[in-house]
Amino acid sequence: MFSSEKRAIIKAGITLDRYGLIALSGGNVSLRTQSGEVLVTPSGMVYEEMAEDDVVVMSLEGEVISGGRKPSSDTEGILYILQKRPDLNAVIHTHQPYATAISLLQDEFAVSLTTLANAAGGNVKVSPYSSPGSVDMGIDTVNYLGESLAVILAHHGVNAVGKSLKQALYAAVYLEEAARCYLAACAVGPTRSMTDAQARQAIEVFKFYGQETAAIPKELLKKV
């Protein structure tokens, strides 16, 4: 059941590890299927050691449909996000260090690089601290997400979301890349943000990224 989706989830977890967004069994990956079930990674398992049968299949209300593993401890919060945001299908939770470091400094990560605008869809807010494993993590994500595709969880990590697993993964990875660059600049001196017009342009341009899309309209490429 849902073999291809489970493989994609495990591959996404391995990718998070490859880019340094998690360590060992940290974080989790969840995906809503086309028929409405929710696939959730198991608690405390290293992604490279997971098999398809380790991924838990649940209802949106939290009933286990199949799978013998204990689902992620963040499942309640994950389900809350998917319940409240029917437009989203994927939730990725990480403990990525650079983005999390920003939560120790400020309440919002303003767009300062095109990649952040591209993949996260604009400024990324920092939510208040909430206990890991509690529904509050999901509530805060919904409250602070807005039109962005990520929320930085204070003193904890990141929740990245998307209509697809790929979109959520890109949001998480590029958020970390932008945070690393930003913090390097902060170590030298004051930083600069992009203008609203520049951020909007970067967001629109990214909609044409990839082989499955049309070429970028030339009117989008004018200097702003």
Side-chain angles (χ1 to χ4, degrees):
M1 181 185 291
F2 305 118
S3 182
S4 62
E5 291 91 340
K6 290 177 178 179
R7 289 197 302 271
I9 284 174
I10 295 170
K11 183 179 179 181
I14 293 172
T15 301
L16 295 174
D17 189 14
R18 180 186 305 152
Y19 284 98
L21 275 62
I22 59 165
L24 297 175
S25 60
N28 48 72
V29 182
S30 304
L31 178 67
R32 191 202 317 258
T33 70
Q34 290 185 347
S35 51
E37 296 87 354
V38 180
L39 309 182
V40 183
T41 49
S43 176
M45 289 192 70
V46 176
Y47 295 94
E48 290 183 345
E49 298 175 357
M50 283 184 199
E52 291 177 26
D53 288 344
D54 293 322
V55 179
V56 183
V57 181
M58 310 184 72
S59 71
L60 191 59
E61 293 71 37
E63 177 186 359
V64 175
I65 297 172
S66 68
R69 296 292 187 181
K70 175 184 174 183
S72 168
S73 59
D74 294 322
T75 296
E76 190 176 8
I78 293 164
L79 294 176
Y80 182 90
I81 296 169
L82 295 175
Q83 289 165 2
K84 299 298 181 181
R85 290 292 301 266
D87 57 315
L88 301 174
N89 295 313
V91 179
I92 292 177
H93 173 57
T94 73
H95 298 152
Q96 52 198 85
Y98 289 99
T100 305
I102 288 177
S103 78
L104 308 180
L105 301 171
Q106 56 205 53
D107 295 328
E108 186 175 40
F109 185 17
V111 170
S112 53
L113 294 164
T114 57
T115 47
L116 182 60
N118 287 160
N123 298 346
V124 176
K125 293 184 179 180
V126 176
S127 74
Y129 174 77
S130 57
S131 174
S134 73
V135 70
D136 292 334
M137 193 172 75
I139 293 172
D140 287 340
T141 298
V142 171
N143 289 342
Y144 284 80
L145 194 61
E147 296 182 359
S148 177
L149 294 176
V151 170
I152 300 172
L153 306 168
H155 311 284
H156 185 172
V158 166
N159 273 346
V161 299
K163 296 181 184 299
S164 66
L165 198 55
K166 179 179 178 180
Q167 189 178 45
L169 183 63
Y170 272 51
V173 171
Y174 282 124
L175 170 59
E176 187 71 350
E177 179 185 84
R180 183 168 54 207
C181 181
Y182 172 75
L183 291 172
C186 286
V188 178
T191 63
R192 300 174 181 174
S193 293
M194 295 169 64
T195 67
D196 289 343
Q198 290 168 340
R200 286 195 300 270
Q201 182 191 52
I203 292 169
E204 290 301 313
V205 165
F206 196 66
K207 293 177 181 178
F208 297 90
Y209 182 78
Q211 294 298 310
E212 66 277 11
T213 62
I216 302 171
K218 290 185 178 180
E219 59 267 23
L220 274 182
L221 301 177
K222 63 182 180 180
K223 188 172 182 179
V224 293

